[in-house]
Amino acid sequence: MLLSHRQLCLVLLCTTQFVALLDFSITMIPLPQIQHSLGFTPGGLQWVINAYGVAIAGFLLLGGRAADMFGRRRVFLMGVVLFTAASLLGGFAHSPAMLVATRALQGFGAAMFSPAAFSLLLAVFPEPSQRNRALGAWTAVAASGFVAGLILGGFITDLLGWRWVLWINVPVGLLVLALSPALPLGRPDADTAAAGGTLDVWGALLVASGAATLVFAFANSEHVGLAHPLTFALVALALALLALFVWVEGRVAAPLMPLAVFRRRSTGGANIVSLLANTALGPTFVVVALAMQEVLAFSATRTGLGLLPMAVAFTLASAWAGPALIARCGTKPVIVGGMLLFIGGLALLGVSLAMLATWGVSILPGSVLAGIGYGLAFPAWTVAGIDGVPEADHGLAGGMLTTTQEVGSAVGLAVGVAVSIAVLAGGGTAAQGYSSAILVSACLVAAGLACAIAILPGKVARQEAAA
């Protein structure tokens, strides 16, 4: 049976989100092989992931606004082209600098197409019930992309080598480009905001510089230590750049992040929760992957399969259980309940890693509980983040949510690596270092839970929950 125009649109847009998430997780498994091949230091290795994440975080708002201003389909296609070309070049990397640069270029491409795809999705499915189903498919595909990255990262690395984890994006990107002219994007493409306006490039540079500096502050602690004055100075500089970004946004004619939108309790609260919750998700997968390979001596394939239960729990919870609970209970109760489970899973995993014995005892129980908790909360704060936002700003709202997600993950990974290295420098074992990193992440998620309780409105967003 041929797909309808709407179904084809949904498939292609979800495919790009699948690839964006796949490319974040697919490089987690072959990190030891990449380190050996190109000569990364332990602290520098995180940039294989964080160069991608920081670039997305820094330019997603720019991509969302560009999509609203210049045409969602046009920006979507430009991002796919750039992402595909960067994936091809990254596979030929011969030095750490070249790999990190191409990963950043991939992130910039994803920052262009991801918010454009999100905005197109909302425009193609304007009815609340259909929109909720489309968002459910979106979050499920995003989760499955993350899962597929973990599995494919192991298999591809063992069978073909780590370079193919980048080259696999090329045929997918070419397929999306070949089918994109068939998409019925006339109305969404024409429904652009602020025609003839200008892009807030300085705002994008400030938020990207602030995020990169904050990550670098913790990455550099590998050499100088967490308590070194330089670490504190870099953190202060990063916070100053981000504060300057907020100041600039209140004074430019066409800001990337209109403060009036962010000041909405639902939108602002959802973004704060996303920021703090995601300080644990990426680091948890990376830390557990390293623990399985370096302590339990798992192969890349076994490591990917070992992470599969957590990823599947996340996928099932975000695709089915989360949306069903949102419709029944509203967003805030689901966010609070999900994050409580997430914290409990992280605490169990952190304690178990300190006495790392076997995968089934030390990793499986806590990781599955954490996956369920995060999976329940993720679609709830996504719905809360767009609740009541005008259609013209949907690209912006999607960009804001993904920005906080990527910034949180990048900073959380940098903090986790810094904590692990500090424990090792103090005479601790690798397992103790990994345990400390996870427990610190649990504390950050607890701060996010407190913000969810204090900031998010208690009322149910009836329109969004009525699917």
Side-chain angles (χ1 to χ4, degrees):
M1 176 183 287
L2 293 176
L3 296 175
S4 69
H5 281 180
R6 273 191 169 189
Q7 290 171 330
L8 179 59
C9 182
L10 179 64
V11 168
L12 290 186
L13 295 176
C14 286
T15 296
T16 58
Q17 187 68 0
F18 175 89
V19 171
L21 269 292
L22 177 138
D23 221 66
F24 183 79
S25 62
I26 200 170
T27 55
M28 291 180 178
I29 303 301
L31 285 177
Q33 291 80 6
I34 293 172
Q35 181 180 19
H36 177 75
S37 175
L38 299 182
F40 277 93
T41 66
L45 189 61
Q46 65 182 286
W47 284 103
V48 176
I49 297 172
N50 275 347
Y52 182 77
V54 168
I56 291 180
F59 295 102
L60 261 172
L61 295 177
L62 186 71
R65 183 51 69 198
D68 289 338
M69 287 176 58
F70 303 128
R72 295 160 182 169
R73 181 182 176 209
R74 179 183 304 169
V75 173
F76 171 78
L77 293 177
M78 289 174 58
V80 172
V81 169
L82 184 59
F83 180 88
T84 304
S87 299
L88 180 63
L89 291 175
F92 290 104
H94 54 77
S95 68
M98 183 176 177
L99 181 58
V100 169
T102 53
R103 288 286 287 164
L105 194 60
Q106 279 184 300
F108 183 79
M112 295 295 104
F113 72 66
S114 184
F118 185 81
S119 181
L120 285 168
L121 187 75
L122 298 180
V124 172
F125 296 93
E127 303 88 353
S129 60
Q130 292 184 347
R131 173 174 294 179
N132 265 7
R133 285 193 289 270
L135 284 174
W138 176 271
T139 55
V141 166
S144 63
F146 196 92
V147 175
L150 297 173
I151 299 172
L152 290 175
F155 279 115
I156 291 173
T157 299
D158 282 342
L159 293 176
L160 301 173
W162 67 265
R163 297 179 186 276
W164 282 94
V165 303
L166 300 174
W167 286 334
I168 193 175
N169 298 320
V170 177
V172 177
L174 293 176
L175 180 62
V176 170
L177 292 172
L179 296 177
S180 61
L183 298 176
L185 303 182
R187 182 182 171 218
D189 205 28
D191 184 22
T192 57
T198 58
L199 284 175
D200 180 16
V201 177
W202 283 109
L205 292 175
L206 282 171
V207 72
S209 299
T213 303
L214 190 59
V215 171
F216 179 73
F218 293 102
N220 190 61
S221 69
E222 173 192 11
H223 307 291
V224 300
L226 279 172
H228 194 277
L230 179 59
T231 301
F232 288 104
L234 287 170
V235 170
L237 175 60
L239 296 178
L241 289 169
L242 295 173
L244 182 59
F245 165 71
V246 174
W247 183 83
V248 167
E249 295 306 281
R251 285 158 179 79
V252 297
L256 286 178
M257 187 183 72
L259 298 183
V261 175
F262 193 76
R263 286 190 186 115
R264 299 175 61 90
R265 285 185 64 189
S266 182
T267 303
N271 278 274
I272 292 171
V273 171
S274 173
L275 176 72
L276 291 169
N278 280 288
T279 58
L281 184 67
T284 298
F285 278 101
V286 171
V287 164
V288 173
L290 290 173
M292 283 194 284
Q293 291 185 77
E294 296 183 0
V295 180
L296 297 180
F298 276 24
S299 67
T301 299
R302 286 188 69 194
T303 299
L305 293 174
L307 289 170
L308 186 59
M310 179 180 178
V312 169
F314 165 40
T315 302
L316 295 177
S318 64
W320 289 285
L325 287 172
I326 294 168
R328 184 179 182 87
C329 306
T331 55
K332 184 172 181 176
V334 178
I335 292 171
V336 170
M339 291 185 71
L340 282 170
L341 292 176
F342 190 28
I343 293 166
L346 291 173
L348 178 59
L349 181 61
V351 172
S352 299
L353 282 176
M355 304 170 288
L356 189 55
T358 64
W359 172 82
V361 172
S362 300
I363 294 175
L364 180 61
S367 64
V368 169
L369 182 60
I372 293 172
Y374 182 92
L376 291 175
F378 175 55
W381 73 59
T382 300
V383 171
I386 64 170
D387 181 32
V389 175
E391 184 177 351
D393 288 323
H394 278 160
L396 167 70
M400 287 169 62
L401 281 168
T402 312
T403 294
T404 53
Q405 176 180 323
E406 297 294 342
V407 169
S409 186
V411 172
L413 179 56
V415 171
V417 171
V419 169
S420 295
I421 291 174
V423 171
L424 286 172
T429 64
Q432 290 170 337
Y434 297 142
S435 169
S436 298
I438 295 296
L439 292 175
V440 168
S441 294
C443 293
L444 293 172
V445 177
L449 173 61
C451 291
I453 294 171
I455 299 174
L456 291 175
K459 68 180 184 65
V460 178
R462 297 291 180 187
Q463 184 183 33
E464 295 294 345

